[in-house]
Amino acid sequence: MRKRAAIVGAAAALLLGATATTGAAQAADDPGALIVGGHDATEQYDWMASLQQSGQHSCGGSLIDERWVLTAAHCVDGADPAALGLRIGSPDHTTGGTEAGVATVVVHPDYATGAPSGDIALLELDRAVPNEPIELAETSGEPGTASRIIGWGLTCPVRGCGQPPVQLQELDTQVVPDSMCTLGFVDGGTEICTGGGLLANACFGDSGGPQLEGTPGDWRLTGVTSRLGSLVPACGTAPSIYTDATAYADWIQQHTG
């Protein structure tokens, strides 16, 4: 885990997939964030999940065990598990891969407090799936650490500017200093500030999806897409904030075994 250096901004950030209310958002009806400035995925991510409601992509997720998917709390808080479905391992969120239902939703207790941290949740599948899970990294890395983000979020920077892509998108980026996410209430101990450059970052519809470190074919999960890191409601205008999954390793292990 990186050193805890909580930095509180002057105003609330915009969640990538839900409208912020009092710090904790309800489950979103519209997609979360999309990746702006990326491109079609260049490799197979057998563990990548599309979280779906009414047959439509709503958020991303990562298979971390044959029966468990990790996603963002704001994607599923208050949701009925029976209304959720997952498509795992397909670069096309409309077809292919492995389909599964959700038996249980476990939202981290910190999320209910309205604090900026705790935007992480576990989904227990209704059956074990054959896909290969992704492993959790040991740490999330210091500023300058190279990382990759993937998702089906919008590829244009504002809500309503277009339709989410059918094909999975990816973008190579890096961890940046927490001070660059000041307006997003970033918590340095449990969150990661990640920048992709001008008009290049996560966007609406990417929520819950992974931040990765490693090399092609050998990725480790470090973060979960959470929200924009600035007041400007446009993607790619500032770094985005990711829940540091490595900071919640004990909580994840407690529930998944």
Side-chain angles (χ1 to χ4, degrees):
M1 186 193 307
R2 296 170 304 139
K3 292 182 179 179
R4 184 179 184 88
I7 300 175
V8 179
L14 188 68
L15 290 168
L16 290 177
T19 301
T21 53
T22 58
Q26 299 302 312
D29 293 326
D30 54 7
L34 300 177
I35 290 176
V36 173
H39 50 77
D40 287 355
T42 58
E43 59 183 285
Q44 174 67 26
Y45 301 98
D46 198 43
W47 41 265
M48 181 62 184
S50 167
L51 175 62
Q52 305 192 348
Q53 300 186 47
S54 302
Q56 300 295 314
H57 171 77
S58 63
C59 284
S62 303
L63 184 74
I64 58 170
D65 178 86
E66 63 180 8
R67 293 195 68 123
W68 292 91
V69 163
L70 191 69
T71 189
H74 77 261
C75 290
V76 295
D77 187 37
D80 178 3
L84 304 175
L86 292 156
R87 185 180 301 278
I88 306 168
S90 174
D92 183 332
H93 66 74
T94 67
T95 188
T98 303
E99 294 182 74
V102 176
T104 308
V105 174
V106 184
V107 173
H108 195 278
D110 285 353
Y111 186 72
T113 66
S117 58
D119 190 10
I120 192 168
L122 287 162
L123 305 177
E124 183 180 14
L125 308 185
D126 61 359
R127 64 184 181 87
V129 296
N131 302 60
E132 184 70 24
I134 186 171
E135 294 183 10
L136 198 65
E138 293 185 1
T139 64
S140 59
E142 298 294 329
T145 301
S147 67
R148 175 174 288 184
I149 56 177
I150 60 177
W152 287 280
L154 292 173
T155 55
C156 50
V158 295
R159 291 185 188 273
C161 60
Q163 294 297 314
V166 171
Q167 293 297 311
L168 185 65
Q169 301 291 293
E170 69 182 31
L171 175 68
D172 289 325
T173 181
Q174 64 178 335
V175 177
V176 298
D178 293 334
S179 58
M180 295 182 68
C181 285
T182 300
L183 294 180
F185 298 104
V186 64
D187 183 297
T190 61
E191 297 180 319
I192 310 167
C193 183
T194 301
L198 183 63
L199 292 181
N201 218 327
C203 193
F204 305 107
D206 287 321
S207 286
Q211 179 173 354
L212 311 169
E213 291 179 10
T215 57
D218 187 26
W219 297 107
R220 296 292 183 272
L221 179 66
T222 58
V224 175
T225 311
S226 180
R227 61 195 188 279
L228 300 179
S230 76
L231 291 177
V232 180
C235 307
T237 57
S240 295
I241 298 173
Y242 294 77
T243 300
D244 187 344
T246 71
Y248 293 94
D250 289 345
W251 177 78
I252 292 170
Q253 177 67 20
Q254 173 189 346
H255 288 282
T256 66

